[in-house]
Every structure is written in structure tokens, then in C-alpha cells.
Amino acid sequence: MLKDGQVATRIPVQDLDRARRFYADKLGLEPSEERPGGLLYRCASGEFSLFESAGSSPGTFTQMGWWVDDVEATVAELKARGVAFEEVDLPGLRTVDGIAEVAGNYPSKGGKGERAAWFRDVDGNMFGIGEPIA
């Protein structure tokens, strides 16, 4: 049953108005729909929603990601809007100017890996941006 369903991500936020401003001003995203306590965003492929919650994510893992054609240009544009990118220096994973090369990729995605970057929203939710390496 679930394999035929559409995947939609839900992101908890503490203050919906503050989150809306961040997503608009910093990410250039506007909600396509809203309801009391929630905002729905649609991207080229897929959707996600923000919901007002007393709980929060620990922000210690990637909760959602976007595939882009040019990770460097996307990171540069978001940095110009004031988005701060995570700097990582772990065995096998190191960012340079906010971008890391990640070895390996899913066979259906092709390529030999991806270039990736991570940032957090105003509530500490962590998001990733990836570009396949051919």
C-alpha cells in the first residue's frame, strides 16, 4: 500500500510566523496552502509542510533534502540570503566552504557520489542539498 502513496515531509516549528519569514526571506519559498497551525510548500517534485508544535527535532540528522543541478550556485545564493551552512570535519566527510563530496550513490541515481551541503532553519531543523557527481 505505502509504495503507491506519495511521500510528504512534515517539519515541526515552534513559531509558524517566524518560520514563514525564514522560509520566504532566506529560502525564497512561499506556502502554496495554509491552515490553522500549518503551511504547505510544493517544490518541483514533492511537498513538505511546517506544523506548529510544542515538540522539536534535535537537528542532529538530515530531515529533508533537495536535489539541485548546481550545488555551488545554490549554496552561494542561499549564503547571500543569510543562510549559514554547516561545516563538517569527520573521518570520510569534510566540507570545504560548506560543501562536501560524499562517496557512493544509489545505483538508480547514477554517478559515483554526490556533492552535498547542510543548513538549519530557525528551529534547528537540518536540511540537505545534493548534486550527483557523474
Side-chain angles (χ1 to χ4, degrees), residues 3-123:
K3 72 178 182 138
D4 295 324
Q6 292 184 339
V7 174
T9 302
R10 308 290 186 246
I11 305 295
V13 297
Q14 300 290 309
D15 181 324
L16 202 56
D17 290 330
R18 180 182 68 175
R20 179 198 294 263
R21 287 190 302 276
F22 175 87
Y23 282 72
D25 297 344
K26 305 296 186 194
L27 305 183
L29 299 172
E30 295 292 339
S32 59
E33 290 182 48
E34 59 184 283
R35 63 169 175 75
L39 301 171
L40 177 67
Y41 293 83
R42 290 194 173 100
C43 297
S45 176
E47 66 184 34
F48 69 95
S49 62
L50 305 180
F51 67 95
E52 206 156 32
S53 173
S56 63
S57 167
T60 57
F61 54 87
T62 306
Q63 293 168 255
M64 182 176 67
W66 287 267
W67 284 105
V68 297
D69 292 330
D70 186 338
V71 73
E72 282 185 17
T74 302
V75 168
E77 180 180 332
L78 292 174
K79 280 183 176 181
R81 291 174 168 258
V83 175
F85 282 82
E86 298 290 304
E87 291 297 335
V88 179
D89 191 1
L90 300 169
L93 185 66
R94 182 173 173 263
T95 55
V96 176
D97 295 325
I99 300 172
E101 288 204 9
V102 181
N105 210 343
Y106 296 107
S108 65
K109 299 278 185 192
K112 62 180 183 177
E114 72 176 286
R115 300 183 71 223
W118 298 269
F119 67 92
R120 296 173 194 275
D121 72 2
V122 289
D123 287 277

